[in-house]
Amino acid sequence: MDTPIFEKYLLGRASRGDTILIEYKPSYPVEDFSWGILLPALAGRYGVVVADFFGVGDVLFRNYARRISGREYSRVIELIKRIKVVKIGPGSASYGEVIEEVVPAYDPQTFLKNYHAVIGKMSRSPVKPEYFVTFGLSHYIHFGGDEAVKSILTGISTIPMEDWVGIHFINKDVLRKEHLAMLEEIASMVFQVSEEGLKVRKEGGTIDTGRG
């Protein structure tokens, strides 16, 4: 990817409080973008917390780590030490420092309680996070259906995250059309990443990531 373009359009336009969706198809190796480009760019300069639903982020990280070696591997291992992790549901986290473990909840009241606890833990961190990245959010919604979406909307509208930028990786084929539409409606920006590059679906044209 052309780093200046990436920083200008994805990082440069993002402000604290923004919600950003990065959508992808299941056949696309999203770990190349998430662990190979985005998280190294963030963790190298900013405080980052990753919310990992069902260990999806961990599986993607291990997929990526198995394909790299030498200096690149050492660089990534050093960077992930700076990441704080919130584990949601079963699965491991072989990267970063786990600061909270949460049992997935699909009713709004319990979700809100868990959400508030995580936000409180992040707010009390000595190093304030500037970015909040999630993996597996689409899986959580798939398992929980309408109640999961209702819980997310309740959490966002009740406890706004104005101190950091939220970036959420969304596997489009896991979600029902109406659930995806609800997420896109409340998002500040929506991107689609594929072999063809990074396309802006909300806020402007197409960005060439330089792949291929």
Side-chain angles (χ1 to χ4, degrees):
M1 169 180 282
D2 186 331
T3 301
I5 292 178
F6 169 70
E7 292 178 348
K8 177 180 178 181
Y9 286 92
L10 183 56
L11 303 184
R13 289 186 180 179
S15 301
R16 291 172 185 260
D18 280 347
T19 297
I20 299 172
L21 303 185
I22 300 180
E23 302 174 351
Y24 62 95
K25 290 283 190 177
S27 58
Y28 172 71
V30 72
E31 60 269 22
D32 289 352
F33 179 75
S34 58
W35 286 107
I37 297 175
L38 179 66
L39 282 164
L42 297 182
R45 291 173 295 175
Y46 310 101
V48 180
V49 172
V50 171
D52 197 340
F53 289 83
F54 310 111
V56 171
D58 182 69
V59 172
L60 294 176
F61 170 71
R62 287 187 277 118
N63 287 345
Y64 178 73
R66 281 194 293 269
R67 298 204 304 269
I68 59 176
S69 59
R71 182 177 299 178
E72 178 64 14
Y73 182 82
S74 299
R75 183 180 71 91
V76 170
I77 294 302
E78 284 302 311
L79 283 172
I80 63 174
K81 294 178 182 178
R82 305 179 188 179
I83 296 174
K84 308 297 183 184
V85 183
V86 177
K87 269 176 58 1
I88 305 173
S92 60
S94 55
Y95 60 92
E97 174 192 351
V98 176
I99 60 172
E100 189 75 25
E101 295 191 31
V102 178
V103 176
Y106 298 105
D107 64 284
Q109 184 176 359
T110 305
F111 180 91
L112 190 59
K113 181 180 177 181
N114 292 341
Y115 187 58
H116 189 276
V118 170
I119 299 304
K121 182 66 71 75
M122 291 170 59
S123 299
R124 293 190 297 272
S125 174
V127 178
K128 302 299 181 186
E130 297 182 52
Y131 287 87
F132 183 72
V133 179
T134 70
F135 290 101
L137 184 62
S138 45
H139 301 67
Y140 166 80
I141 294 173
H142 173 76
F143 295 139
D146 291 343
E147 286 301 301
V149 176
K150 187 188 301 182
S151 296
I152 291 171
L153 296 178
T154 301
I156 291 174
S157 62
T158 304
I159 312 176
M161 296 195 298
E162 297 300 328
D163 292 333
W164 43 76
V165 177
I167 300 179
H168 311 286
F169 283 93
I170 301 293
N171 183 332
K172 291 182 63 175
D173 287 4
V174 171
L175 295 180
R176 285 164 34 193
K177 182 178 179 180
E178 58 268 30
H179 289 163
L180 181 61
M182 292 179 194
L183 295 180
E184 291 179 340
E185 179 183 24
I186 63 173
S188 308
M189 289 183 272
V190 179
F191 294 83
Q192 182 168 322
V193 65
S194 69
E195 289 84 355
E196 298 176 356
L198 190 66
K199 180 179 180 181
V200 185
R201 299 191 59 231
K202 191 173 182 178
E203 283 223 354
T206 301
I207 304 168
D208 181 6
T209 62
R211 291 180 60 88

